[in-house]
Amino acid sequence: APPGGGASGQSDFAMAHKYPMISMNEAVDRVISRAHPLPQESVAFVDAVGRVVAEDFVAPRPHPPFAASVMDGYAVRSADCPGVVTLIGASRAGAPMRGAGNTSIQPGQCAYITTGAPLPPGADAVVPAEECGVDGGTVSIDANVDAGKWVRPVGFDIKAGETLVPAGSLVGAHEVGIVAAAGGGEICVHRKPKLALLSTGDELAEAGEVEPDASSGGIYDANRPMLAALAKTSGVDDVLDLGRAADEPGALASLVARAHAEGCDVLVTSGGVSEGDRDYLKEVLLGEHGGGIEGEVHFGRVMMKPGKPLTFAEVQSKTDRGGNKMLVFALPGNPVSAAVTFHLVVVPTLRRMMGWRDPRLRRVHVVVSSDLKLDPERPEYHRATLDWQEQLTTTSLGAFTPGASMDDVKSTRHLPAAHSTGKQVSSRLTSMRGAEVLMELPRGPGMVAKGTVVSALVIGNVSSASVQLPAISPEVVR
């Protein structure tokens, strides 16, 4: 064999790859740096759930707009208490005291009042009904009453001009209620991104239709329905379904161009980005196969498992170079790789476009419940379910990123146990079933032992996790 080579004459040193491998942290940084909050729009406040507020919502009026009773009882003048006063009328929620000249409380008088009702003029306090004695048209009060007792003054809950829902807030049910209480009609939010989905591969068939021919290597397309569902759970419901495309560069280029022409902010594809002789997608995104598009690939490989071929690009029209650029995420075709990379890079991008201040996945600490063998070549995002009820003995706290301290994890008593979802091969989509976190495991060799504390990125709805710790009766300081 020639010097420095094997029997084939090839160098022992691999040629530099066109797309250098980058870390996942760097990949997320690059993606977020190119995703920007979308323009704002006004929507009816009842339709704003899941949206991010673009401008502070300020109270147009105080609440309550009148002095209101906190109790069912009697509106009185505090100066008359204790004493016997004459009942002259009633003020009820939605029906303040009016008519027959009895519109204000004079010395020695009172009015029946219900919770939330306006305090009649002249009254300055409320006495709960159970603290009063009633005899026909008179009411006896045995104790002193302070002015303002059991009364909410004007603006007690909300002051006029008060910022109720600050810009950057994620609107939920309670924010909707706050806006309604203040009398708001619309709220200013960031526009949601429009997303396109495309599956690639000659082998794909649509689920629920003709059964794929196993002898020809056919399989069902799991990625497109799954990614559409992930987009929906991420708050994006404007999805253009581009269907399935064969591994033919011209057809791929035409569909990418269609997504851009139809105003999509983001295109997510799966398949066609690895090293195979029919993996054309990177070339298509660069504009090498027509379609009237051109683009820039910002990265084409990531040091991670699963999902190494993950690719991120920006595409624009060749005839309108000053126009909008579409962000393109070309995910690997294996379904687990597609799911994991969608969580890690696409979800933060969508959040950023919708106006989230911190769009990254939330990180927690967990205790691994079994020994986990490490991959010798790449860091792994290991799928796991959480269990707060199983208490494991912590054997190791591991190492921490710069800036972290032992105080950050000084107590592991109630860290959840993280149970692996089983075989972690990228084709086994059942390893995503019920997964609530992706455990961040380092590159090997070696293993992470049972009882080790590791960091994990939240991908599931933790509110439905196995969390049912015992209720605590706190120590009361008097």
Side-chain angles (χ1 to χ4, degrees), residues 5-60:
S8 64
Q10 294 179 341
S11 171
D12 291 334
F13 300 96
M15 294 179 60
H17 198 282
K18 182 177 181 180
Y19 297 103
M21 197 96 71
I22 66 172
S23 70
M24 175 50 67
N25 285 340
E26 184 178 353
V28 174
D29 287 343
R30 290 190 189 184
V31 166
I32 290 179
S33 71
R34 288 168 173 81
H36 305 286
L38 294 174
Q40 60 193 46
E41 60 183 3
S42 291
V43 299
F45 72 92
V46 293
D47 296 326
V49 175
R51 308 288 289 271
V52 177
V53 179
E55 291 182 356
D56 292 347
F57 176 79
V58 177

Side-chain angles (χ1 to χ4, degrees), residues 231-257:
K232 185 175 182 179
T233 58
S234 300
V236 175
D237 43 28
D238 188 0
V239 176
L240 172 63
D241 186 354
L242 295 174
R244 309 182 311 280
D247 293 318
E248 195 283 307
L252 291 172
S254 176
L255 288 168
V256 173

